[in-house]
């Protein structure tokens, strides 16, 4: 049987609960999940993680290619999520569980799954999609672009910040303490890019973590209001920070006071933060080790609908985008932007004003504020005139995305 015949024999359809075991088997094979990985994640065995993944197939849209005997050989899952984009909450499609058995590669199966997924996202009014890339070039080719970074740091005990007097205090609590959720909910609503976490999102956040070994340090202000959280654990004289989020600088200082109080117990503090702002500047001894790497990617699913809801800082002289999108044909056109005397935006298919030539992945990075318009212009990822470039600089918010989830 040749390649064409093999593909014609396959069926693309939704993955259902009855396929749960196959869904997990494909994930384990593609991502090389070992028994030790399962054990380190706090699961007793494979059957436990299969049960844990059951809500995914209930709440997510999962599509796959099947053989004639109903064997799953390629799949893609789309989580229903919400994210904060410059203080505007958008529905977001979280793409994960992407994989194909190697004997079925080069058939174009994943390309068709992605196209099907984008159509489904559009129907569900998920105007933007996030994913964690196993290959940045591959997903760039499909229209996604880097939207956030992960900064990993390592701090010697002698480099820990000195104690700063703060009016509040820190309590050690369970990671599921109600104040953890309260602080994060407030944090997510004021930080561009952040996930608005529902139950499924929290479950995925802890999926490969041993929750029983994690602790939440919660900072409370003078009035007893929770203002900051640090998820951490200590092992082999290393203080590990999974994430630290806070609502103000008082909470940040209070949490670092707590970390520094472990001076006599640890040799190193290692952790991660999820934007490109170095934390070294905040320390007296800034000669700490920091490593920045790309983390998540984003893709605008429907340009017109996304822009219609986008919280521009101000208005500008009319112009139009000429967008190239080789996967989602509904985006492969002109989008004219014009504001009326009441600052209301109208989007047209007419080439009003000067053009901005841009592809879908660069447009996604632009609106997610991962890179500024002038930088994208300088490296020739967008083409326009200087006046329109200045308009883009004025109207697009300048706050980098913070995204700490994983799915």
């Amino acid at each position: 049987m040749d390649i064409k015949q093999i593909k014609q024999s396959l069926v693309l359809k939704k993955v259902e609960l009855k396929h749960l075991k196959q869904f997990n088997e494909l994930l384990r094979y593609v991502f090389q999940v070992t028994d030790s990985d399962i054990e380190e994640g706090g699961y007793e065995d494979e059957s436990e993680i299969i049960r844990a993944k059951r809500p995914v197939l209930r709440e997510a849209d999962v599509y796959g290619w099947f053989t004639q005997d109903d064997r799953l050989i390629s799949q893609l899952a789309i989580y229903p999520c919400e994210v904060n984009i410059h203080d505007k909450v958008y529905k977001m499609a979280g793409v994960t569980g992407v994989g194909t058995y190697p004997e079925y590669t080069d058939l174009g199966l994943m390309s068709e799954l992605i196209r099907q997924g984008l159509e489904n996202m559009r129907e569900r009014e998920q105007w933007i999609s996030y994913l964690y890339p196993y290959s940045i070039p591959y997903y760039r080719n499909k229209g996604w672009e880097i939207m956030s970074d992960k900064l990993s740091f390592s701090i010697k005990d002698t480099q820990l910040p000195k104690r700063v007097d703060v009016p509040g205090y820190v309590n050690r609590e369970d990671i599921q303490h109600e104040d953890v959720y309260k602080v994060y909910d407030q944090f997510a609503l004021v930080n561009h890019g952040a996930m608005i976490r529902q139950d499924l999102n929290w479950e995925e956040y802890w999926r490969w973590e041993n929750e029983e070994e994690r602790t939440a340090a919660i900072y409370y202000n003078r009035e007893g209001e929770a203002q900051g959280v640090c998820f951490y654990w200590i092992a082999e004289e290393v203080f590990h920070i999974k994430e630290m989020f806070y609502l103000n600088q008082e909470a940040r200082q209070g949490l670092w006071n707590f970390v520094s109080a472990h001076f006599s117990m640890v040799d190193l503090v290692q952790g991660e933060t999820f934007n490109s702002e170095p934390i070294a500047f905040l320390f007296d001894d800034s000669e700490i080790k920091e490593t920045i790497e790309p983390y998540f990617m984003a893709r605008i699913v429907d340009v017109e609908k996304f822009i219609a809801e986008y919280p521009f800082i101000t208005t500008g002289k009319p112009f139009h985008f000429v967008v190239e999108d080789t996967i989602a044909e509904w985006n492969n056109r002109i989008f004219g932007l014009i504001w009326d005397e009441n600052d209301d935006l109208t989007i047209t298919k007419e080439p009003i004003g000067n053009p901005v030539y841009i592809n879908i992945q660069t447009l996604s990075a632009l609106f997610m504020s991962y890179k500024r318009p002038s930088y994208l212009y300088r490296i020739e990822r967008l083409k326009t005139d200087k006046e329109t470039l200045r308009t883009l600089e004025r109207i697009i918010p300048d706050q980098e995305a913070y995204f700490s989830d994983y799915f």
Side-chain angles (χ1 to χ4, degrees), residues 2 20 38 55 82 116 121-122 151 156 167 224 265 271 310 323:
D2 61 24
L20 181 57
I38 292 174
E82 289 184 324
Q116 174 69 51
M121 295 172 202
R122 195 178 183 213
L151 186 149
K156 298 176 184 176
M265 298 172 55
Y310 191 78
V323 179

Side-chain angles (χ1 to χ4, degrees), residues 86-87 190-192 368-370 372 396-401:
H86 296 302
D87 300 329
V190 295
N191 279 272
H192 162 58
M368 289 301 296
S369 299
Y370 184 71
R372 295 302 297 165
I396 295 178
D398 186 11
Q399 182 187 9
E400 294 180 359

